[in-house]
Amino acid sequence: MSPKTPPVIPVIGGNGAGDPSREEALRAWEEAERARREAAAASPGAAPPVAAAPVTDPVAVPAQSTTAAASPSTPARVTAAGYLPMPEFNEPDSDDPEARLEFYARGILAVQYAARANHERAEQQRLIGLGLRLRAVKEEELHKSAGYDTFGDLTEARFEIKKHQANNIIRVLGVAQALEDITTQELKERPLRVLVPILDTHGPEAVRETWSEAARHGNVTDTALKDAANFLGFAPPKELPPPEKKEPAPKQAAPTSESLRAVQRIRMLAERDPGQARREAEELESAVRELLEELAGGLQQ
């Protein structure tokens, strides 16, 4: 069997002219190569793919053309709204090394930006996708048919998602769905809890307004969402703590007079020496009578 002749790779900008026809030729070649690889992989007798040599310069490898993104063989999510296509690889027109480096550097930054944006969008869609399915499993009580006692037992055993985490994802699902059309940012479950009562009371549009107001000031956090909700008037009214019940102050006993203290002393003495107590009581009685007579005489004068 004669060795296969490798296909000719069109060169773009080799002469610095930047011919558009050559760029179209490269795109066509990339599409043909992709189709050839897919056909070879689908063939029953296809030989296993040979490992490629290590690549020392990732920028020098042409990225897959964006025309392939619309192919039926590509997952539909790749072309869903909110995902950025990876920038195509092109060579600069200039032969100056500094200009070529600057051209490639901008391309590297663009690829990194698209990768970060697509990662955040994917995490956002992961939250929504999990919420839709977990909610369905819970509402249909499918844990019973699977032999689990509770919904949480099922999610932890089958998906390694604890019950409280699954319930929190379900709780913020409506908020995440309300926001997916206005932001591609990753939506984390914890900050979204602030928006749940706003969704229940004021609806999806209030959720979007609150998010947009919080995003105007930078990073969207639960504190920023609370402040935005307060500013827009969507925050639920704060519940005032119940008034503290003040216990009435204990009544202070009236001070004991000298005469009563004398009586109490005689009573205590009676427990030890009744005779002496009787004598002192008689003396006290006599003194009291004399005092009463003196007081009565003073009043009559």
Side-chain angles (χ1 to χ4, degrees):
M1 180 181 296
S2 59
K4 295 182 179 180
T5 303
V8 179
I9 302 176
V11 179
I12 297 178
N15 57 0
D19 187 356
S21 63
R22 295 196 174 190
E23 184 174 353
E24 294 297 328
L26 176 58
R27 290 198 181 110
W29 174 81
E30 288 176 339
E31 178 64 21
E33 281 297 291
R34 183 194 61 75
R36 182 183 63 78
R37 289 193 298 270
E38 291 180 354
S43 176
V50 180
V55 179
T56 57
D57 183 7
V59 177
V61 181
Q64 184 177 346
S65 172
T66 54
T67 57
S71 170
S73 62
T74 305
R77 265 304 167 196
V78 175
T79 57
Y83 288 93
L84 295 179
M86 280 296 171
E88 296 183 23
F89 172 76
N90 292 304
E91 290 191 10
D93 296 336
S94 173
D95 292 330
D96 179 62
E98 292 185 3
R100 293 177 70 85
L101 175 59
E102 181 63 24
F103 181 88
Y104 289 137
R106 289 197 301 269
I108 291 173
L109 294 176
V111 169
Q112 291 175 331
Y113 177 86
R116 287 194 301 269
N118 289 340
H119 172 75
E120 290 198 0
R121 181 65 168 182
E123 286 298 308
Q124 177 194 109
Q125 295 301 305
R126 182 182 72 88
L127 177 65
I128 295 174
L130 287 176
L132 289 169
R133 289 157 179 82
L134 289 171
R135 184 178 65 182
V137 170
K138 185 175 184 179
E139 289 179 349
E140 297 178 28
E141 297 184 340
L142 298 180
H143 63 277
K144 296 180 179 178
S145 60
Y148 293 93
D149 294 334
T150 65
F151 167 70
D153 292 339
L154 170 63
T155 60
E156 187 162 2
R158 291 287 299 274
F159 316 117
E160 296 183 352
I161 301 176
K162 295 186 179 298
K163 178 182 178 180
H164 73 274
Q165 183 182 1
N167 286 328
N168 285 335
I169 291 174
I170 295 171
R171 183 184 177 196
V172 302
L173 172 61
V175 172
Q177 289 177 307
L179 295 174
E180 67 172 327
D181 291 336
I182 67 168
T183 179
T184 59
Q185 182 175 334
E186 178 182 355
L187 301 177
K188 297 182 179 180
E189 172 266 324
R190 184 179 182 85
L192 296 187
R193 297 181 200 173
V194 177
L195 300 175
V196 172
I198 297 176
L199 176 67
D200 296 340
T201 305
H202 302 283
E205 188 57 35
V207 169
R208 289 188 280 268
E209 289 182 24
T210 303
W211 178 275
S212 299
E213 178 62 30
R216 286 199 313 114
H217 306 286
N219 189 27
V220 180
T221 62
D222 50 353
T223 301
L225 290 171
K226 289 178 182 178
D227 292 342
N230 284 322
F231 173 73
L232 296 173
F234 295 139
K238 294 183 178 180
E239 296 182 1
L240 297 176
E244 296 182 359
K245 294 182 179 180
K246 295 183 178 180
E247 296 182 359
K251 295 182 179 180
Q252 295 182 353
T256 306
S257 63
E258 291 293 336
S259 58
L260 291 179
R261 281 199 291 270
V263 173
Q264 291 175 355
R265 184 181 60 80
I266 295 173
R267 284 177 176 171
M268 295 175 62
L269 178 62
E271 295 178 359
R272 302 190 306 272
D273 189 348
Q276 181 62 27
R278 182 179 180 82
R279 287 190 293 273
E280 290 191 11
E282 291 174 349
E283 291 176 0
L284 179 60
E285 181 183 13
S286 176
V288 169
R289 286 177 180 174
E290 290 179 2
L291 178 60
L292 290 175
E293 290 176 358
E294 292 176 2
L295 295 175
L299 292 175
Q300 293 175 356
Q301 291 179 358

